[in-house]
Amino acid sequence: MKHFWEDFTVIDFMGMFIPGALFVLVTDDAPFPFKRLCIHFFGEDNPLALGIYFVIFSYMIGTFFIECSKNFEKLFCKKLVGSQYAQSNAYDENSQVKIWFCSLSQRPLFSDVKIAVQGKGAYRKRMLFSGFYELCRTLLIAIPACVLIRVLCGYSICILPISLPTTLPHAWSVHITLLINIIPYFVILYVIFRRMKRFLKYTIEYTYGEYYRLYGPNASHTTVDSDVDADSMASVP
């Protein structure tokens, strides 16, 4: 139960609250009905109203973003997860972990592997990588959503304070300004996308590595936590 709450806290904070809070802060001037509802209920001069609005709406919108971002794993990371681990070139083909895993007659699902190593070894390190992966994946939805809301509400999306020469034609100035405003977002999203795949790869490598250490041919079962009973050990291939 302790490890379950640790998992929940890491993913809850990094994968949902931070992207949701970013959206709430960046789109603060947007006319969201939920904000008006909190202020109307608690009072406009009550700081508790804005605090409750910020926390609750951040979690709400972050939960929506993390659900929307799950398809990114299927589209861009399918060679890194699940049954693809044994065939993927992203991992060292000569590693003992992969050779042993490929030799198994019945390869366990990655979800089963995570349960088998939960709370063992470098558990917090794996959870940290997983949390950063969830954060990056959710930001790929949260950042475009922030830009879209600001555009629809007529607010500036400028990141780089660059002023164009006044001698340019108006049409050129509009298009160049728009391009300058959009390019930084593509760069940011690309960097986040690369980090997302890297953090997912680290998470999977450390998870399978711990699984090999605990249940591989040279496993030392003395390292297994005392809260794991013999029945759960016997169920792991």
Side-chain angles (χ1 to χ4, degrees):
M1 183 60 69
K2 179 186 72 173
H3 300 305
F4 169 78
W5 284 112
E6 287 181 359
D7 290 0
F8 180 80
T9 302
V10 170
I11 296 176
D12 193 51
F13 180 74
M14 300 185 70
M16 290 187 283
F17 181 75
I18 293 180
L22 172 67
F23 179 84
V24 174
L25 292 173
V26 172
T27 61
D28 179 61
D29 295 328
F32 292 120
F34 187 74
K35 180 178 181 180
R36 295 179 180 178
L37 179 65
C38 286
I39 293 177
H40 177 73
F41 183 82
F42 292 100
E44 187 172 357
D45 297 330
N46 190 344
L48 180 63
L50 293 178
I52 291 177
Y53 159 75
F54 177 73
V55 173
I56 295 180
F57 195 52
S58 294
Y59 273 107
M60 288 174 56
I61 199 68
T63 303
F64 174 74
F65 287 154
I66 202 170
E67 288 298 321
C68 293
S69 68
K70 286 183 177 179
N71 290 325
F72 282 120
E73 186 173 290
K74 299 177 182 178
L75 291 174
F76 304 113
C77 303
K78 58 184 179 181
K79 293 184 179 180
L80 296 177
V81 295
S83 59
Q84 296 294 328
Y85 171 78
Q87 293 83 23
S88 176
N89 294 328
Y91 306 99
D92 184 9
E93 296 182 359
N94 298 319
S95 69
Q96 292 181 340
V97 177
K98 190 171 182 180
I99 293 174
W100 171 75
F101 186 79
C102 292
S103 68
L104 295 177
S105 57
Q106 293 183 344
R107 298 168 189 162
L109 299 175
F110 183 61
S111 57
D112 296 331
V113 173
K114 288 194 296 183
I115 293 174
V117 301
Q118 189 177 32
K120 305 176 182 68
Y123 179 70
R124 287 182 173 83
K125 189 173 186 178
R126 296 197 306 271
M127 285 302 99
L128 189 61
F129 283 134
S130 180
F132 276 113
Y133 160 68
E134 297 285 353
L135 172 63
C136 293
R137 196 186 75 187
T138 310
L139 285 176
L140 293 178
I141 296 292
I143 292 176
C146 293
V147 175
L148 178 62
I149 293 298
R150 290 191 66 85
V151 169
L152 293 178
C153 294
Y155 301 120
S156 173
I157 61 171
C158 180
I159 295 180
L160 302 175
I162 299 177
S163 58
L164 298 177
T166 56
T167 56
L168 289 175
H170 178 70
W172 285 23
S173 178
V174 170
H175 287 87
I176 294 176
T177 301
L178 180 63
L179 186 64
I180 292 175
N181 288 337
I182 290 179
I183 285 179
Y185 289 103
F186 281 106
V187 174
I188 292 172
L189 291 174
Y190 176 74
V191 172
I192 293 175
F193 172 74
R194 294 293 300 270
R195 300 306 299 176
M196 177 192 74
K197 296 186 68 173
R198 182 176 293 273
F199 283 128
L200 178 60
K201 184 172 179 286
Y202 285 158
T203 301
I204 293 174
E205 284 181 332
Y206 275 95
T207 301
Y208 279 111
E210 197 66 42
Y211 186 76
Y212 172 79
R213 186 178 70 85
L214 293 172
Y215 307 111
N218 300 319
S220 175
H221 293 297
T222 58
T223 60
V224 181
D225 288 356
S226 59
D227 60 347
V228 180
D229 55 24
D231 292 336
S232 62
M233 286 286 297
S235 63
V236 179

